[in-house]
Amino acid sequence: MNRRKISILGATGSVGTSTLDLVERRSDRFEVIALTAASKVGELADAAIRTSAQLAVINDPALLPELQRRLHGSGCRAATGRDALTEAAAGEAELVMAAIVGCAGLEPVMSAIESGRTVALANKEALVTAGQLMIAAARRAGATILPVDSEHNAIFQCLADNRSCDVAKLVLTASGGPFRSRSREEMAAVTPEEAVAHPNWSMGAKISVDSATMMNKGLELIEAHHLFGVSSDRMEVLVHPQSVIHSMVEYVDGSVLAQLGSPDMRIPIAHALAWPERMETPALKLDLARIGSLSFEAPDLDRFPALRVAREAMEAGSAAPIILNAANEEAVAAFLARQIGFLDIIRTVEEALTRTSATPPHSIAEVIDIDRRARSMAKELMSEMAA
Ligand SMILES: NC(=O)c1ccc[n+]([C@@H]2O[C@H](COP(=O)([O-])OP(=O)(O)OC[C@H]3O[C@@H](n4cnc5c(N)ncnc54)[C@H](OP(=O)(O)O)[C@@H]3O)[C@@H](O)[C@H]2O)c1
């Protein structure tokens, strides 16, 4: 059997290392072409050597000499810069795991799509900011986008070969995050350590904070809108604290299909890696008798306004999702650096949406320009708050 050629963008992150875990278990099935990272040079070099990758790309140019030193004699080429990242995304690999966090992943994801690759997409911010452009580019280039986010992967599985006109609504489940039962007053004083301690999932810091504010679910609504072509009025969020049902599709006849599994990202990642086949994973098998009961509740938009703000940005369309995402990335980074409080995250995002003016983007360059302007607006707002 021919091995499937794969590149992993963001190979040192939470999704990236879970992907490596699966790929390394099945080296008979996958051949690693390229791996990339921002600054974890040691982990990148180790993974490149272990997997016999051809190319390792480090985002920070100052770390290139160290990467070259670590890879010396391994046969793996060390590189940095935009062209190298594009080569990793659109070079020899047939399958690209897009697992960079944030808008930084936008250009490489677009390169992979424009080159007609199969893209396993974890990097939701890319789709949130440039969904329309990406879906159109995928159609033109014949690229396939496979959702890795557990909710979207669940919906993708539940949609299977059903006709889209038979779908009544999509139901995205949400764990509710670590502050599901906290009051606004209590949330005002939470620390970054508390915010990243997700009850069910082990993830990178940014997405963990997004889960705590529930902005993550808002970004996922926008992601689902682009991936599945479903409008806001046909998408619902349902809080389900056990994270066993990863999302559902309701059909016009009243049937509801759900995808269930342990909360382990290796399950949706494996689905995307092996699609249209399946592959085994070391994830715990679901034991419903042990879990006993599943519970559900409606999201509280007063305590978690990010969900409302993100939905409004999706409905407004145009540049609003780009501004939402950029301001959120900046505010989350500032919260993690203890420069602002937890509730200031959504304040910054709402205010940035009001104060940043922009016209609808027609190219990735225009998306990046709006992203840049929204980031400086968010920074300005946060220094005003601190003053
Ligand atoms: N983690 C999850 O369970 C999960 C679930 C669903 C969706 N997602 C989505 O998947 C994406 C990755 O999430 P994660 O939790 O895996 O993030 P993470 O653990 O923070 O990892 C991010 C990866 O991207 C690299 N990176 C960061 N900034 C970069 C930049 N400016 N240029 C190039 N590379 C950069 C990092 O390199 P360094 O390690 O060197 O910093 C790392 O390899 C996010 O969009 C997230 O929303 C994650």
Side-chain angles (χ1 to χ4, degrees), residues 9-16 36-41 58-59 85 98-102 104 122-125 148-150 201-207 216 220 265:
L9 314 179
T12 48
S14 165
V15 171
T36 83
S39 58
K40 288 195 184 129
V41 66
I58 191 84
N59 194 50
L85 198 53
I100 290 177
V101 61
N123 182 201
K124 66 187 80 185
E125 296 88 351
V148 168
D149 223 342
S150 59
W201 298 94
S202 157
M203 310 184 284
K206 193 261 176 182
I207 184 176
N216 184 46
E220 287 178 5
M265 278 305 289

Side-chain angles (χ1 to χ4, degrees), residues 2 16 20 23 50 52 72 74 80 90 92 95 116 140 147 172 181 207 211 285 289 292 331 333 341 347 362 366:
N2 275 346
L20 277 168
V23 165
R50 279 198 322 269
S52 307
H72 184 71
S74 69
T80 187
E92 212 188 305
L95 174 64
R140 276 197 307 274
L172 277 81
S181 320
I207 184 176
S211 298
K285 296 286 182 271
R347 268 186 216 126
H362 296 104
E366 287 177 19

